[in-house]
Amino acid sequence: MADDTPWSAPAAAGPLDATVRVPGSKSVTNRAYVLAALSTGPTVVRAPLDSRDTRLMLAALDRLGAVSERVDDGVRIRPVTQGSGEVGVDLGNAGTVARFTPAPAALGSRTVHFDGDPAIRRRPVGPLLRALTDLGADIADDGRGAVPFVVRGHGHLRGGAVDLDASASSQFLSALLLAGPAFDEGVTVRLRGSPPSEPHIAMTVEMLRDFGAAPERRPDGFHVPPARLARDEFTVEPDLSGAAPFVVAPLLSGGSVRIAGWPTATTQPGDWLRSLVAELGGGTVLDDTGLTVTGGDSLAGRTLDLHEVGELTPVVAALLCFADGPSEIRGVAHLRGHETDRLAALATELSALGGDVTETAGGLRIRPAPLHAGTFHTYDDHRLVMAGAVLALRVPGLRVEDPATVGKTFPGFVPLWERVVAGASPGDDGDDGGPTGTTDDG
């Protein structure tokens, strides 16, 4: 499908009956790749997401000296090696790559030039670059605190204690914690401001422990002592945030959808969707094989604080447009600094289709209003493609702009969605259930 061809997203003709298998978590995949690159020996990362963002991460680590190769059901990554000369890293529009790779660059011996898509230049990185500089990194950004920037590696990083304002992105904190074991003195991060998406921080801490580090949570932040990371193999969970459209679909169309492989215990923010379904009148059953979601009789308006699960806002906002009462989404002001200004984009696009959606200081206010067909613009944002798909369930004739941008985190989303809405069950054996291998605050 050409990038400039809008997608005629399907409307639901009746209750759904489908089983899907979503690809691996982008957040977990890219953290695992970084930890593998900083380990003392090779690591095989199994069932990873294979998407633009994860390929950008592998390419960036390769430029830093961590060579990777494809193996059965995964990727083998060798530790970062010292080198010399100047190299360039393409960040694309991947926040995890922009935030997680400068520290490994500072630990190497190369001069690394970071740049990417025009959109990445608008995404915040300044607090992280300042913290790395305070910890001994040699970074040149012309004082802008933004992409592009240059990291001059000197073979090690002193580390120690640092103050960090992570209110714009939890990835700033995760970036320091992931690399902390490789710093001479480890790292002690004193937080100034409350970071969003606590589940992503918990994910980082848990994965550090999986690789042999000993992170500690303190009243004012975190401490990670020096450690030799090592892990022979690591398996990536399915992406629960990428599953969001499939989880909420029965609430609008009736019937049921089963997401195969949903973990019974996880730190992923997307697991909150189970609570959302219950609050909105649907049903969920979680067992060792996956999660089954069943639609309810009606959809009531709600006030929801999504501070910890902000990446789900586009899909949730689309869902709430069909509630029978007013709704408000709070706690997500930080979404103005994501792939696009997600709050402005959602208010603009939902209102253009007849919705009554306005921005607030910290989110969106949504009032019931009939929607009509039109083109839903996606601003190069994968989450907005997913929101458009959800809208189309109840809005026949809706066209979603640039559906290919969903490949950032979920290659194959469009054909998989079409099969689900058509009522066909793609199966749960991994052969025809969409791609394997997905997504941001991440």
Side-chain angles (χ1 to χ4, degrees):
M1 182 179 296
D3 286 359
D4 57 356
T5 302
W7 172 37
S8 295
L16 303 177
D17 180 13
T19 297
V20 300
R21 182 179 295 279
V22 299
S25 163
K26 181 204 73 175
S27 298
V28 175
T29 297
N30 276 352
R31 282 166 172 77
Y33 285 167
V34 171
L35 289 167
L38 296 175
S39 293
T40 57
T43 304
V44 175
V45 179
R46 300 207 178 275
L49 169 65
D50 182 13
S51 73
R52 187 188 185 212
D53 274 20
T54 60
R55 290 182 179 185
L56 286 166
M57 179 63 86
L58 285 176
L61 294 172
D62 182 78
R63 301 294 279 169
L64 302 181
V67 177
S68 61
E69 61 179 332
R70 300 283 172 179
V71 298
D72 290 344
D73 189 33
V75 176
R76 178 182 289 111
I77 300 177
R78 301 187 184 279
V80 169
T81 59
Q82 296 298 334
S84 61
E86 299 194 12
V87 298
V89 166
D90 178 12
L91 302 172
N93 189 20
T96 51
V97 183
R99 281 100 182 226
F100 292 176
T101 58
L107 289 163
S109 300
R110 299 167 177 85
T111 296
V112 186
H113 298 260
F114 291 86
D115 203 354
D117 297 352
I120 199 69
R121 298 183 177 188
R122 298 190 295 270
R123 301 183 69 178
V125 294
L128 172 63
L129 299 185
R130 286 192 293 275
L132 286 171
T133 300
D134 291 343
L135 292 169
D138 182 357
I139 299 176
D141 64 355
D142 295 328
R144 294 174 294 101
V147 176
F149 56 87
V150 178
V151 178
R152 300 183 183 92
H154 298 289
H156 71 100
L157 204 58
R158 181 189 70 249
V162 68
D163 293 331
L164 175 71
D165 180 359
S167 57
S169 175
S170 67
Q171 289 176 2
F172 300 160
L173 173 60
S174 288
L176 297 180
L177 300 182
L178 288 170
F183 298 168
D184 296 346
E185 302 174 13
V187 67
T188 300
V189 183
R190 296 183 295 251
L191 289 172
R192 302 294 180 259
S194 176
S197 194
E198 173 65 30
H200 278 118
I201 298 169
M203 177 189 297
T204 297
V205 169
E206 181 179 88
M207 290 182 66
L208 277 163
R209 292 187 177 125
D210 287 341
F211 276 77
E216 305 170 13
R217 187 149 204 168
R218 295 181 172 182
D220 63 346
F222 292 83
H223 173 67
V224 182
R228 290 174 59 84
L229 302 178
R231 177 98 181 198
D232 291 338
E233 293 188 356
F234 182 89
T235 301
V236 176
E237 294 178 347
D239 179 44
L240 308 189
S241 295
F246 301 99
V247 172
V248 305
L251 299 177
L252 295 180
S253 303
S256 65
V257 172
R258 178 172 173 270
I259 297 92
W262 193 287
T264 55
T266 181
T267 56
Q268 287 192 64
D271 196 44
W272 170 83
L273 288 164
R274 294 192 294 127
S275 298
L276 175 69
V277 169
E279 184 172 350
L280 295 181
T284 64
V285 176
L286 177 64
D287 58 29
D288 290 341
T289 64
L291 176 72
T292 300
V293 181
T294 304
D297 296 328
S298 63
L299 188 64
R302 288 290 188 274
T303 295
L304 301 172
D305 188 333
L306 303 189
H307 182 72
E308 304 300 341
V309 291
E311 65 197 50
L312 301 176
T313 297
V315 164
V316 173
L319 173 69
L320 293 176
C321 284
F322 303 101
D324 57 15
S327 300
E328 186 170 347
I329 294 174
R330 297 175 176 172
V332 291
H334 59 284
L335 296 188
R336 294 186 169 96
H338 277 223
E339 279 82 343
T340 186
D341 180 339
R342 283 181 172 163
L343 299 184
L346 287 165
T348 298
E349 296 305 316
L350 294 171
S351 296
L353 298 176
D356 185 356
V357 181
T358 55
E359 286 189 68
T360 65
L364 296 169
R365 187 171 291 115
I366 304 169
R367 300 179 180 85
L371 302 186
H372 56 74
T375 298
F376 187 77
H377 299 95
T378 54
Y379 304 83
D380 295 320
D381 190 330
H382 56 130
R383 297 292 185 197
L384 290 179
V385 175
M386 295 180 180
V390 170
L391 291 168
L393 290 171
R394 290 272 192 96
V395 185
L398 183 70
R399 298 180 303 277
V400 179
E401 178 196 50
D402 193 13
T405 197
V406 80
K408 171 182 171 68
T409 55
F410 201 146
F413 171 80
V414 168
L416 180 58
W417 182 260
E418 289 177 339
R419 292 200 296 271
V420 168
V421 178
S425 174
D428 63 357
D429 59 5
D431 292 332
D432 57 358
T436 56
T438 168
T439 170
D440 181 20
D441 186 81

